[in-house]
Amino acid sequence: MLVIALSFSALAMAQQKPQVVILATGGTIAGAGADATNSATYQAAKVPVDKLIAGIPQLNDIASVRGEQVFQVASESLRNENLLTLGKRVSDLAKRDDVDGIVITHGTDTTEETAYFLNLVVHTDKPIVVVASMRPGTAMSADGTLNLFNAVSVAGNKESRSRGVLVVMNDEINSARDVSKMINIRPDAFKSPWGALGMIVEGKSYWFRRLDKRHTNASEFDIDKIKSLPLVEIAYAGGNVNDTAYRAFAQAGAKAIIHAGPGNGSVAGSLVPVLQDIHKQGIQIIRSSHVNAGGFVLRNAEQPDDKYDWIVAHDLNPQKARILASVALATTNNTKELQRIFWQY
C-alpha cells in the first residue's frame, strides 16, 4: 500500500509541473568549439535537443520537459519556408491540453526575426519563448545553459501568459517585437530600445511592463491560414548610395522593398524618382531606419509619404519591417491598410 501511495504521490507531483515543449532549430546554443577558449569561433547547430536537455538536469525541478528537433541549421540560413514550418508546429502544440508553454532554441543572428514572426501569426495566450546563446556550450562562461533554464522557467510560468512571444537571454525577458541583437561578441547582446519586459533571478520572473501592440491572440494574421510569404527585400542606404539594389530587387519580383535609410529613414534625392518609379510598378516602398538603438521613422518627415504613397515602418528596424511586410502582404496590398498595420503591430 505504501508503494502505491508513493506512486500516486509522484504522479500527482509530475502532473502539477508545467508541461513545456522545447523545439530546437540549431544555432550557437547548439554549437561547439574546438577549445574552451573559443567563444566567438565555433560551429553552430551541432548538439541535438536531447543532449541540450540532458545537460541541464535541473529542468526536471521546474517543468516536465520534452524536446523536438525541428531544424538543425545556423539561423542565418533559415528561409521563409522554415518560418512557416516552425510557426505551424508552434500553433499545433499551443492547441494541445498537455502543453503549457513552448520554448524555441535558435541562433542569435535571426532570433529577433523568427520571434517577431511568431508574435504576429500564432494565436495563443500560452507562453512562447525564444532562447539563444552568444557562446557555444564548450566555451568558458557559456551562457546557453542558464538561458535555456530561464526560458523553460518563463514558459512554464502562468504569469507569462498573454504577453506575446518573449525572448529570454542574459537574465532579461524582452518582447519579440522590440528586442534586437545589438552586438555580436558579448552575452548581453540583445536589448530593446524601450526596455525589457522583465528579469529572471534564480528562476523567478519579475515583470515591469506589457507590450502595447497587437500580437498573438489579438493579431489579424493566422499561421494556420498562411501558405506562403511574398518576397520582401531590404536595400541598405548610406552615403553615396545608388539605385542598383532597388532596381535589382524590383526586377527579381519583390512585392515590397524596405528602404533601410539613415536617421529618419532618409532618402537621398537621387533615389526619390527611382522609388517613385518602382512604386508605380505595384511594389510597396517602406521607409525604415538603420539607426542601431531605436530608429523612429515619422510619416511625412524628410519625405512627403502621403504624396508618394509610401509607408513608414514606425520604430521597426529593417529586418523586422521585412517580416511584418511579408506577413501583411499575404492578405493585402493596399497602402493605407499596410500603414495601419505598421502603426498597430
Side-chain angles (χ1 to χ4, degrees), residues 45-62:
K46 290 296 178 182
V47 183
V49 66
D50 56 339
K51 288 191 176 181
L52 287 178
I53 294 172
I56 314 175
Q58 294 85 354
L59 290 176
N60 294 321
D61 298 333
I62 59 173

Side-chain angles (χ1 to χ4, degrees), residues 16 18 100 125-127 153-163 207 210:
Q16 289 174 0
D100 297 309
D125 65 350
K126 293 181 180 180
S153 175
V154 171
N157 186 349
K158 292 181 180 179
E159 293 182 3
S160 304
R161 297 175 74 103
S162 301
R163 295 179 184 269
W207 300 95
R210 285 183 178 271

Side-chain angles (χ1 to χ4, degrees), residues 22-253:
I22 298 176
L23 299 179
T25 68
T28 299
I29 197 168
D35 186 87
T37 61
N38 293 133
S39 62
T41 306
Y42 54 86
Q43 287 186 307
K46 290 296 178 182
V47 183
V49 66
D50 56 339
K51 288 191 176 181
L52 287 178
I53 294 172
I56 314 175
Q58 294 85 354
L59 290 176
N60 294 321
D61 298 333
I62 59 173
S64 293
V65 177
R66 62 183 188 271
E68 184 177 316
Q69 195 78 45
V70 184
F71 314 118
Q72 185 69 306
V73 297
S75 68
E76 69 272 14
S77 297
L78 291 176
R79 308 286 297 175
N80 283 348
E81 294 77 15
N82 299 122
L83 291 180
L84 293 172
T85 298
L86 178 62
K88 291 180 185 297
R89 184 59 184 145
V90 172
S91 179
D92 289 342
L93 288 169
K95 295 183 179 74
R96 295 179 53 158
D97 293 334
D98 62 346
V99 175
D100 297 309
I102 301 164
V103 171
I104 298 107
T105 62
H106 203 281
T108 60
D109 280 355
T110 57
T111 286
E112 63 196 86
E113 297 176 52
T114 296
Y116 186 45
F117 175 76
L118 297 174
N119 195 60
L120 293 171
V121 301
V122 179
H123 285 195
T124 186
D125 65 350
K126 293 181 180 180
I128 301 171
V129 180
V130 183
V131 64
S133 74
M134 293 302 297
R135 295 170 178 166
T138 52
M140 295 180 189
S141 300
D143 55 330
T145 300
L146 182 57
N147 286 348
L148 183 53
F149 178 84
N150 285 341
V152 170
S153 175
V154 171
N157 186 349
K158 292 181 180 179
E159 293 182 3
S160 304
R161 297 175 74 103
S162 301
R163 295 179 184 269
V165 176
L166 306 169
V167 174
V168 170
M169 287 186 66
N170 198 45
D171 300 335
E172 286 191 342
I173 308 169
N174 277 284
S175 166
R177 192 229 178 240
D178 295 341
V179 76
S180 291
K181 184 176 182 179
M182 307 300 281
I183 190 170
N184 66 331
I185 55 172
R186 293 205 316 244
D188 61 339
F190 281 75
K191 296 293 180 182
S192 164
W194 320 127
L197 300 185
M199 287 190 66
I200 315 163
V201 181
E202 296 181 349
K204 181 175 174 57
S205 300
Y206 297 87
W207 300 95
F208 305 136
R209 68 180 182 93
R210 285 183 178 271
L211 176 66
D212 193 27
K213 293 287 184 179
R214 293 178 66 177
H215 59 76
T216 53
N217 266 344
S219 176
E220 66 200 82
F221 311 112
D222 187 348
I223 186 62
D224 296 336
K225 299 176 181 178
I226 300 174
K227 296 181 180 180
S228 63
L229 294 173
L231 179 64
V232 178
E233 297 284 11
I234 302 171
Y236 196 97
N240 201 44
V241 65
N242 62 47
D243 61 5
T244 303
Y246 300 87
R247 293 194 184 280
F249 288 148
Q251 188 173 4

